[in-house]
Amino acid sequence: MTSLLSVKDLHVGFGRDARANEVVSGVSFELQAGQTLGIVGESGSGKSVTALSVNRLVDFGGGRITAGKITLERAGGDVLDLTSASRHQLRQMRGRDIGMIFQEPMTSLNPVHTIGRQIEEAFRINRGLHGRDSVDAAREVLERVRIPDAQSRLGYYPHQLSGGMRQRVMIAMALASAPRLLIADEPTTALDVTVQAQIMGLLTELRDETGMAMIFITHDIGLVAGIADQIMVMQNGVVVEQNDTSSVLDNPQHDYTKHLLEAVPHFSSGQSARNDGKRATGVEPVVAVDDLVVRFPTGKSWLHKGGAVHAVDGVDFDLLPGETLAIVGESGSGKSTAARAMLGLVGKTRGRIDRSTGAEHRPIQMVFQDPYASLNPRLNVESLLAEPAIAAGHRKDQTLRERMTFLLEKVELSADALTRFPHQFSGGQRQRLCVARALMLNPEILVLDEAVSALDVSVQARVLDLLVELQQEFGLAYLFISHDMAVVERIAHRVAVMYAGQIVEIGDAASVLANPQHSYTKRLISAVPMVGQRKRHYTLDHTQIPSLVRAAGYEPPAARWREVGADHQVRIEEPA
Amino acid sequence: MHILRALIRHPSGRIGGAIILLLLIAAICGALGLTPHDPIKAFPPDRLKPPSATYWMGTDLLGRDTASRLMLGIGLSFIVAFASVICATIAGTVIGLFAAWWGRPWDGIFMRTMDVLLAFPAILLALLIISIVGPGPMTSIVAIAIVYTPIFARVVRGPALSLKHREFIDAARTFGSSESYILTRHLLLNLIAPLTVQFTLALAWSLLTEAGLSFLGLGTQPPSPSLGLMLSESRNLMQHAPWLMLFPGLTVMIGVLGFNLTGDALRDILDPRTQERGA
């Protein structure tokens, strides 16, 4: 049996001298119908370029295939050599034989057309359907990607849909031509973990229904475990390991694969939660947050009193010295807003944030998600690190320089970094700079807002270790905001789960992660991808996050709590 | 320093820079009195002489050397152009920065005022000011500065608005940095690139506007020469002494070209996308 797609010794280069600037060198693989190939690698490993070479989209990015052969068996049975195909043949091939979905569903959809029109266009071009037929086909395909109420959704614009819905629309468009091969380039990276599980479930179901082959590109080796038949691990444009899924995961041969498998934070349902620094009773908390409420008014005009977005609605927690409280939740759950309110970056509507009344005043500091955006590109490291001290009224003198060098050493950067600029550092180094800067004022509490989310997995692991070391050395209390349960398990002593602006479950990390009580916590934890789970069956559900826009004067019902363990409380779910 | 080096390496930067340098040298010599002949004093015996070895660019109706007058004129035109653009840059930056930083309602008030100013032609505004204070180089400076202020305000406000929501500004707030520190070190420092480009391009326009105002007799007053004034004086003698018009005209053209080329080169050099490659 000939394979659907066969890639032999593929070399792809960029720029004027494509042979000299090779990004992919010597990639070969075979893919049968109905099979899934997972390509795993960190940023810059050449995984996306490999996939884009298959449908020759790489040409539009300035890339050139310098050597190798890509052959695709087309629907009629004839074999097409994609490296030498004419532009006309390529255009026919794209869409009809090979469909593609991208990482960012908002930018891949045209914002000025309704999704119905965009799907109909796909049918018109690829299947020659017109008028009524194309509308019917669009509705059908939306139903196939499990979008409820498909008929009325056809008239929606992309911005009216959630991220997960938009990705479903993208999948629907790719399906419009009944492709024999679907290339999915990090299709779930921009999505929340429960939505990710939905999309993964949908993709496996569709693959089994249609018998199409799939190339699944991801940086998350745990995610690919649940869907792929074969795995190809790439590093610096070279395939370092390639085999069927179980062999690669259970018996990795190459050091880099082993390293990736180790570095990926494995989620183990609370078993690997930290057991240092258990809560002691009778210790004065460094901060106690009581009934924190943040609301943003909407659509207010002088004629009509508008409602408000209840971003944070009645949040209570406290933080002991040297303790990590992780706040987990999905986008829009209000976790970042709560953190920002603590630092005064957003105004709170009401509530109290009580700081301990110690002798010395140690401030709260914050580390942000994006290490590229949180450092001013025009200032050198010395000016960047000096800023908090200058703001606190210190002068740039010898003592201050010594403190900078000391902290740079603590975050494992050399002292000659002082004269360099942010763009001369890698993402992980920048994030360590941000940590050093936040420590300049010797804070008591560090708020880490998705501080490791933008980093590659191996870098992420090192930063996490560093954070734990620093916490022990300086006695820092961390408020760790994250959506990633596996990362949270590594660093948190306690976990608070936020959903729709409210804490629904809070307590000891091991207890919450091992024994989740609230239905949302359960959903969140079951959606976490795990290396141990192969050929995973995802069940589809359509639970929607409730709208946070409330009428003026609305107050949520008072929370009632149920004690689960010594330090584990869950909010009692009110029937809606 | 590295910007200067990059400017020399850039083809249009090299040409534009050379033109500006040449004109600047001529202007400085003119200002220091290092001219071949006296640019102001009339010498009737040699009136309307065509270009020759003695008078490189010929002489005018009063026998004054065109080349010498041009050297002095370039200086006066440049002073007006530079002074007005510097004023416009400062005023525009301050207005744009505060409009972006304070937000509503100041943003609306400032920017709508700028829109109104932008709708005024420079000449009309100059007439208005002249009717109050009388003509002269100061009037030109004020008029040109007012006309170009809105352009700088807009150039600053757009990027400042997006910078305002960048995380490093939030980070600065969490340290408790003062507003003036944030405005200067975080906002202004990141606006230097667009401002430099705009500054150079505005010099080209203001050189042209100054020539226009002087041509109409609203700017520099005789007997001081300025490019526009020299053009205006040569108008009636166009057929008898074409050199009187040719050389000042060419100077204006080359000057504008020089500033435009330099501005284009600076835009390429300061563009972060091209900067990344060098880093």
Side-chain angles (χ1 to χ4, degrees):
Chain A
M1 174 185 152
T2 57
S3 36
L4 173 75
L5 176 74
S6 143
V7 173
K8 282 202 187 72
D9 193 32
L10 178 71
H11 290 257
V12 185
F14 278 82
R16 222 172 276 169
D17 188 5
R19 265 172 225 285
N21 301 319
E22 231 170 53
V23 179
V24 171
S25 9
V27 171
S28 307
F29 62 86
E30 305 269 324
L31 190 59
Q32 318 291 341
Q35 297 276 300
T36 302
L37 169 73
I39 306 183
V40 185
E42 299 192 334
S43 38
S45 62
K47 54 187 194 300
S48 289
V49 173
T50 305
L52 289 172
S53 306
V54 169
N55 59 6
R56 288 285 298 276
L57 278 179
V58 74
D59 298 23
F60 298 100
R64 207 148 58 80
I65 296 174
T66 50
K69 204 171 151 96
I70 304 171
T71 51
L72 176 78
E73 195 197 74
R74 303 194 61 186
D78 51 332
V79 173
L80 177 69
D81 182 356
L82 293 176
T83 48
S84 60
S86 68
R87 275 165 70 176
H88 177 68
Q89 281 176 315
L90 285 175
R91 206 165 51 234
Q92 278 202 326
M93 169 277 293
R94 285 184 204 122
R96 275 186 220 181
D97 293 306
I98 303 182
M100 177 141 192
I101 48 178
F102 297 91
Q103 176 171 346
E104 188 45 75
M106 188 65 215
T107 50
S108 350
L109 287 169
N110 187 336
V112 299
H113 290 308
T114 62
I115 58 163
R117 242 186 103 173
Q118 298 183 56
I119 301 171
E120 285 158 32
E121 189 194 357
F123 276 105
R124 207 179 62 240
I125 295 167
N126 293 317
R127 296 262 195 90
L129 295 181
H130 288 284
R132 200 64 243 160
D133 290 342
S134 65
V135 178
D136 287 341
R139 199 198 58 242
E140 259 170 51
V141 78
L142 275 191
E143 278 164 6
R144 274 178 70 202
V145 294
R146 280 84 180 171
I147 288 183
D149 196 14
Q151 182 67 50
S152 63
R153 302 275 174 165
L154 285 175
Y156 279 40
Y157 287 90
H159 70 264
Q160 294 172 301
L161 299 170
S162 66
M165 284 291 181
R166 285 199 286 260
Q167 196 58 290
R168 280 173 208 222
V169 171
M170 282 305 297
I171 296 173
M173 285 171 71
L175 288 179
S177 53
R180 293 159 60 74
L181 171 65
L182 182 69
I183 300 176
D185 187 359
E186 302 255 15
T188 60
T189 308
L191 304 176
D192 281 324
V193 59
T194 55
V195 182
Q196 164 171 293
Q198 298 298 302
I199 297 291
M200 296 301 287
L202 180 65
L203 284 174
T204 29
E205 266 183 43
L206 290 171
R207 181 194 59 190
D208 299 342
E209 268 172 34
T210 61
M212 64 184 175
M214 206 152 75
I215 296 181
F216 193 89
I217 303 164
T218 182
H219 65 279
D220 185 348
I221 202 162
L223 188 61
V224 88
I227 193 167
D229 299 290
Q230 306 168 55
I231 290 183
M232 189 160 98
V233 182
M234 291 189 72
Q235 185 188 20
N236 301 330
V238 185
V239 176
V240 296
E241 186 154 359
Q242 186 170 16
N243 212 330
D244 57 277
T245 304
S246 342
S247 313
V248 172
L249 297 179
D250 298 332
N251 193 13
Q253 298 299 315
H254 194 275
D255 287 341
Y256 182 67
T257 317
K258 289 180 195 161
H259 167 72
L260 265 188
L261 279 167
E262 258 167 45
V264 168
H266 294 281
F267 181 66
S268 50
S269 309
Q271 285 163 33
S272 51
R274 284 171 70 178
N275 44 24
D276 61 319
K278 285 281 168 208
R279 283 209 130 188
T281 43
V283 181
E284 180 92 354
V286 286
V287 65
V289 173
D290 184 35
D291 191 31
L292 180 66
V293 175
V294 180
R295 287 174 194 166
F296 302 107
T298 59
K300 204 168 76 180
S301 70
W302 52 279
L303 274 178
H304 147 95
K305 199 170 175 223
V309 178
H310 288 216
V312 177
D313 224 354
V315 161
D316 307 288
F317 62 83
D318 53 7
L319 196 57
L320 299 189
E323 181 182 64
T324 306
L325 172 68
I327 301 187
V328 295
E330 302 192 328
S331 42
S333 63
K335 56 189 194 304
S336 281
T337 311
R340 282 167 180 260
M342 283 184 66
L343 280 141
L345 289 177
V346 296
K348 57 180 197 289
T349 309
R350 64 157 195 263
R352 282 165 36 155
I353 298 168
D354 288 330
R355 295 292 315 279
S356 67
T357 45
E360 47 173 345
H361 181 70
R362 294 169 70 193
I364 307 182
Q365 292 284 282
M366 182 158 174
V367 176
F368 294 83
Q369 171 169 9
D370 187 352
Y372 293 85
S374 53
L375 295 172
N376 184 345
R378 297 252 164 207
L379 294 178
N380 65 13
V381 171
E382 185 175 303
S383 311
L384 288 168
L385 289 183
E387 188 182 346
I390 289 171
H394 296 283
R395 256 188 292 142
K396 223 173 174 178
D397 52 17
Q398 198 50 38
T399 9
L400 191 61
R401 283 211 179 79
E402 271 162 26
R403 174 134 184 99
M404 289 187 212
T405 344
F406 169 72
L407 284 174
L408 279 179
E409 222 169 82
K410 283 287 158 216
V411 297
E412 292 157 25
L413 289 170
S414 63
D416 63 8
L418 281 178
T419 53
R420 287 153 71 195
F421 285 85
H423 70 262
Q424 293 167 301
F425 295 91
S426 69
Q429 288 173 324
R430 285 185 203 208
Q431 199 59 304
R432 281 184 269 153
L433 274 178
C434 293
V435 172
R437 181 173 63 169
L439 292 178
M440 279 301 288
L441 294 178
N442 188 25
E444 194 163 33
I445 301 166
L446 207 52
V447 176
L448 300 152
D449 187 4
E450 300 272 11
V452 297
S453 306
L455 307 175
D456 270 333
V457 280
S458 52
V459 181
Q460 193 176 54
R462 284 184 56 197
V463 174
L464 278 178
D465 289 342
L466 178 73
L467 285 173
V468 173
E469 278 168 35
L470 292 172
Q471 177 168 48
Q472 284 158 353
E473 182 165 353
F474 296 107
L476 295 163
Y478 286 159
L479 190 66
F480 191 89
I481 317 287
S482 182
H483 68 279
D484 188 336
M485 298 303 267
V487 167
V488 162
E489 191 185 14
R490 277 196 180 187
I491 196 164
H493 297 111
R494 299 183 81 228
V495 172
V497 180
M498 263 187 98
Y499 178 66
Q502 298 171 327
I503 290 182
V504 295
E505 190 159 358
I506 185 168
D508 181 65
S511 175
V512 172
L513 298 179
N515 184 21
Q517 293 296 312
H518 195 274
S519 64
Y520 176 71
T521 318
K522 286 180 187 163
R523 226 172 53 235
L524 197 61
I525 285 175
S526 72
V528 177
M530 292 186 221
V531 178
Q533 293 189 343
R534 308 291 150 75
K535 291 281 158 198
R536 175 161 185 191
H537 186 71
Y538 296 92
T539 46
L540 293 166
D541 74 274
H542 294 291
T543 327
Q544 294 278 333
I545 294 175
S547 167
L548 298 177
V549 183
R550 307 282 193 184
Y554 172 88
E555 286 299 329
R560 292 184 296 137
W561 295 89
R562 183 161 62 84
E563 295 285 334
V564 181
D567 177 25
H568 186 173
Q569 290 177 303
V570 60
R571 199 186 179 103
I572 295 167
E573 287 170 71
E574 314 282 343
Chain B
M1 217 51 227
H2 69 276
I3 289 180
L4 209 63
R5 216 173 299 135
L7 201 61
I8 295 169
R9 230 180 294 132
H10 195 283
S12 63
R14 202 155 41 207
I15 299 171
I19 292 172
I20 294 172
L21 198 68
L22 202 76
L23 292 178
L24 274 179
I25 291 171
I28 290 167
C29 291
L32 295 177
L34 300 171
T35 50
H37 303 274
D38 192 319
I40 307 288
K41 213 176 130 205
F43 189 62
D46 278 347
R47 51 202 283 251
L48 293 180
K49 286 267 193 275
S52 65
T54 334
Y55 301 111
W56 304 337
M57 297 181 184
T59 58
D60 66 4
L61 203 56
L62 300 173
R64 295 174 299 194
D65 178 34
T66 311
S68 306
R69 283 180 68 73
L70 205 54
M71 282 166 79
L72 196 61
I74 291 169
L76 286 175
S77 293
F78 268 35
I79 287 172
V80 171
F82 271 96
S84 59
V85 173
I86 288 171
C87 292
T89 308
I90 294 171
T93 306
V94 168
I95 291 172
L97 213 52
F98 282 118
W101 189 250
W102 287 337
R104 281 200 280 182
W106 292 107
D107 190 18
I109 295 171
F110 282 160
M111 293 321 286
R112 293 301 79 74
T113 316
M114 292 294 108
D115 288 348
V116 171
L117 277 184
L118 204 61
F120 265 101
I123 307 281
L124 213 62
L125 202 71
L127 277 171
L128 190 77
I129 298 169
I130 289 157
S131 68
I132 303 167
V133 295
M138 266 322 273
T139 315
S140 306
I141 293 176
V142 173
I144 297 173
I146 291 177
V147 171
Y148 287 125
T149 298
I151 295 171
F152 283 96
R154 284 185 173 187
V155 162
V156 165
R157 178 182 167 265
L161 268 183
S162 85
L163 284 169
K164 186 182 162 187
H165 297 290
R166 292 278 290 278
E167 277 188 344
F168 60 80
I169 304 280
D170 276 345
R173 287 187 214 252
T174 66
F175 309 138
S177 290
S178 62
E179 280 207 349
S180 63
Y181 188 92
I182 294 177
L183 281 173
T184 52
R185 301 302 294 272
H186 291 309
L187 282 176
L188 207 54
L189 203 60
N190 279 291
L191 291 169
I192 296 242
L195 274 176
T196 315
V197 174
Q198 197 59 38
F199 183 83
T200 326
L201 294 177
L203 278 177
W205 307 328
S206 71
L207 195 68
L208 210 55
T209 313
E210 194 278 334
L213 287 174
S214 298
F215 186 83
L216 294 177
L218 305 174
T220 313
Q221 296 302 303
S224 301
S226 100
L227 297 176
L229 200 60
M230 289 174 75
L231 279 173
S232 167
E233 285 166 352
S234 71
R235 205 173 24 169
N236 297 327
L237 298 162
M238 209 152 82
Q239 264 145 15
H240 304 288
W243 58 87
L244 283 181
M245 169 163 282
L246 186 70
F247 293 106
L250 273 179
T251 311
V252 172
M253 199 193 86
I254 290 173
V256 170
L257 185 73
F259 284 120
N260 271 328
L261 286 176
T262 314
D264 284 348
L266 281 175
R267 180 162 48 204
D268 288 351
I269 292 163
L270 295 171
D271 186 335
R273 270 166 301 177
T274 51
Q275 217 174 18
E276 285 295 299
R277 246 182 290 151

